[in-house]
Amino acid sequence: MFIGFDYGTSNCSVASMVNGVPTLLALENGQHYLPSTLAAPTRDSVSEHLFRFSNIQPSDATGQQLLRRAMAANREEGIELHAEDLLFGQAALDLYLAHPQDLYYVKSPKSFLGAMGLHQVQLSFFEDLVCAMMANIKQRAEMETQQPIDDAVIGRPINFQGSGGESSNQQAEQILRRAATRAGFKRIEFQFEPVAAGLEYEASLTSEQTVLVVDIGGGTTDCSLLRMGPNWRGKRDRSDSLLAHSGQRVGGNDLDIHLAFNQLMPHFGAGSLLESGLEMPMKQLWNPVAINDLSAQNDFYGQRNLAELKLLHKEAQQPEKLARLLAVYHDTLGYGIVRRAEEAKIALSASPTYHSQMAVDKETLAFDINFDEMQQALDTPKQQISKLVREAVSQSGEQPDVIFMTGGSARSPILRQAVAEVLPNVPLVSGNDFGSVTAGLARWADVVFA
């Protein structure tokens, strides 16, 4: 059996073909979308759990070295792992929100796969993270279908997040392929996520069109300009139909991060002053919410940063705000702050104001955000997305007949307006914002594995 597998930055989903129609499979409590999260007692628990309870061997000598280190570290800490200690999806998120300081939690490891300058052991650990998540999803899908699943078409962005250009793309795809192989998939193909979304839209067409697909995912925005229609449907060689691609690290996570920084981090010291009159260093307020930037997270939560945070607290004109920032450090609250921003972004798409609360140390902070404040906070990612649309059209030298917007953030009225302003005379249509990519991947799997 084959599936289309959207290993997403925010959510994961899979689909199979049933009577010629893509059907998303339930993965958690009847839901089709599993949050891309993992929680474990410690960082070292991931590799040992994969080996001990999933019987998945390391792929090379570096992986074996990582496993030995992990098992030794867990023994030294007196940690005895159990099968239920590794959590995924909403269960992992719920545990993190309840006990952020007591576990290892990661969201969106896909965001890190293209990072340059990493040691082989770090790359091997990312492979273990992805493998654990993929093996878990494969198991859930097989329970749902009551069939073994051997083959998968996995979605990938035009450009993974990373500074290495094509080197970042190759590194990330290699990690995904190795992880998927270890998770038990036998035949693995990749397809660009916006192309997959376009394939799902194409299934509804009765005539030929030139379609600009704008896929605003959790980690990236990708644009593909495609010739589509009945004459192309089902063809394996579509090279002549692919007119242009553009993609960049700007997605739903970036919207949440910018909103968190602009509207929430002032409660933690952003924009405040030191006794010297200098403004608080921006990186100390940006790094904790930059959850898609591995170096930023390491810099903020590293042991060496604690002394600097204590010094800033001592020299701050508003020390109570820096006390909250210290609580963010000690209790690993960065993900929780971004989560509040994400909730605000979703709510403000339908309501002019949003109110939320968050427990920080021994106080409860109240946050109030309105639509205009969100619009101002999201100006930078909005401009980046507009630039990607222009780039795709410019590359092809052709105007699209229609714009197909999809992805979790495609519902945002701010982003829809941004795209419409670039191509004001082109109709803008939508499909299943969360499921179009997955369905298109299943359609492509039906072509390549038939």
Side-chain angles (χ1 to χ4, degrees), residues 93 96-97 107-108 252-261 264-265 268 285-292 297 301 328 332-346 354 358 367 369:
L93 176 59
Y96 164 75
L97 293 175
K107 176 184 177 182
S108 312
N253 280 356
D254 295 271
L255 305 181
D256 304 337
I257 289 166
H258 277 81
L259 186 57
F261 179 76
L264 304 186
M265 291 311 289
F268 300 87
L285 286 307
W286 175 262
N287 285 356
V289 295
I291 59 172
N292 58 359
Q297 292 286 283
Y301 290 110
V328 172
T332 323
L333 298 180
Y335 284 108
I337 295 171
V338 176
R339 174 71 173 176
R340 297 304 187 280
E342 180 186 16
E343 293 168 350
K345 177 191 70 177
I346 295 170
Y354 176 77
M358 180 177 179
F367 303 125
I369 307 173

Side-chain angles (χ1 to χ4, degrees), residues 306-362:
L306 180 58
E308 186 172 343
L309 289 173
K310 288 180 176 179
L311 182 61
L312 292 174
H313 176 241
K314 182 179 179 180
E315 296 179 348
Q317 290 188 17
Q318 296 174 286
E320 72 280 3
K321 292 186 175 182
L322 270 295
R324 294 173 191 150
L325 190 62
L326 278 165
V328 172
Y329 173 91
H330 287 298
D331 295 338
T332 323
L333 298 180
Y335 284 108
I337 295 171
V338 176
R339 174 71 173 176
R340 297 304 187 280
E342 180 186 16
E343 293 168 350
K345 177 191 70 177
I346 295 170
L348 290 170
S349 294
S351 174
T353 59
Y354 176 77
H355 175 80
S356 181
Q357 294 181 331
M358 180 177 179
V360 180
D361 199 11
K362 297 179 181 179

Side-chain angles (χ1 to χ4, degrees), residues 141-155:
E142 289 176 337
M143 290 180 64
E144 181 72 9
T145 62
Q146 293 297 297
Q147 294 184 60
I149 298 172
D150 295 325
D151 309 320
V153 171
I154 301 173

Side-chain angles (χ1 to χ4, degrees), residues 297-306 329:
Q297 292 286 283
N298 288 340
D299 286 348
F300 182 78
Y301 290 110
Q303 182 62 36
R304 288 185 297 180
N305 194 40
L306 180 58
Y329 173 91

